[in-house]
Each structure stands twice: as C-alpha cells, then as structure tokens.
Amino acid sequence: MEGFGKIFFIGGIMFSCMFGFLIFVSIMTNSAPQYSFYIILAMAVMSFCLSYLYPQFRENKERAKRIKEKGMFISFFFIFGYMLIFMVLFQFNILDLDGYETISILVPLTIITVWISFVVYSKRL
C-alpha cells in the first residue's frame, strides 16, 4: 500500500471506529440506531475499497475501465433488486418507513454495492 492507499485505509479505520462508537451509544441508550449512521458505514466500506483499488485506478488503463464498467453494470441489477424488495415490503405493509428513512437505507446500500462490485471484478479480471 502506498500514498493515497494508506490514507484511504486510515480513513476507513476512522469511519469504522466512528460507526462502532455510534452503534455502541445507541445500544447503551436502549434506542434504535439512526438511519443516518449507515452512511458512515458505507463511507468506511468505500474507503477500504478505495485503499485496495487505488493502485489499479491510479493509472486509469484499460483494466481499470473494464472494472468500472462491469462493476457498474452488475450494481445496476442489485440496486434494482433493492428497490423491488422495498416496493414489495411497502406494498404489503411489512415496512413502515418514511421517505427520509428509505433514502437513508438505499443510499448506503448503493454505495456499498458499487464499491464491493469494483473489488470483486478487480479480483476476477
């Protein structure tokens, strides 16, 4: 790991610690974690993925372009699946969330899906 890769890794550790502390506080106060906490988890995952992918994306060659293309392509279907699941859960009144809560769940899911798909395809290609 070199340069920015180390910075991304340190950022991932910091975001993970922040998320862990917020979850700990939620547990200690006997309250459910706020939905906005999950964006911090998504930022931690993104930072760790960037620390792994930085050497490959730095050069911006054909391999990096293929990783991005394939990752975004498969992420589209996963994100579509998330939305389909949410629609079914809302239709049958299994979930009772407002718009902000729903977006606060979908955004981290999207971030995590995109970056993990990049890592998976970087290992496959």
Side-chain angles (χ1 to χ4, degrees):
M1 213 180 309
E2 60 186 53
F4 282 115
K6 288 181 184 177
I7 293 172
F8 287 130
F9 187 76
I10 292 169
I13 291 172
M14 291 173 55
F15 281 124
S16 297
C17 290
M18 194 180 332
F19 178 73
F21 175 73
L22 291 172
I23 293 298
F24 174 75
V25 169
S26 294
I27 291 170
M28 295 306 288
T29 59
N30 286 334
S31 63
Q34 294 181 2
Y35 292 103
S36 58
F37 291 177
Y38 300 121
I39 194 74
I40 297 170
L41 176 65
M43 296 299 287
V45 170
M46 183 179 75
S47 295
F48 286 128
C49 290
L50 277 169
S51 72
Y52 177 78
L53 293 168
Y54 175 72
Q56 298 167 30
F57 283 2
R58 177 184 53 192
E59 296 170 1
N60 202 15
K61 291 188 177 178
E62 185 64 31
R63 185 171 190 276
K65 289 180 184 176
R66 295 273 303 166
I67 290 169
K68 291 175 187 176
E69 287 173 4
K70 292 249 186 202
M72 290 301 290
F73 180 75
I74 197 69
S75 294
F76 169 78
F77 293 106
F78 276 99
I79 293 165
F80 185 74
Y82 298 150
M83 291 183 194
L84 186 66
I85 289 168
F86 271 108
M87 287 191 309
V88 169
L89 293 175
F90 286 138
Q91 182 67 32
F92 295 111
N93 293 325
I94 297 171
L95 271 181
D96 185 31
L97 301 173
D98 64 8
Y100 176 77
E101 293 167 342
T102 305
I103 296 298
S104 294
I105 293 172
L106 278 175
V107 168
L109 279 174
T110 302
I111 293 170
I112 290 170
T113 302
V114 168
W115 288 102
I116 288 181
S117 68
F118 285 172
V119 169
V120 168
Y121 275 110
S122 74
K123 289 184 178 275
R124 292 178 110 196
L125 294 178

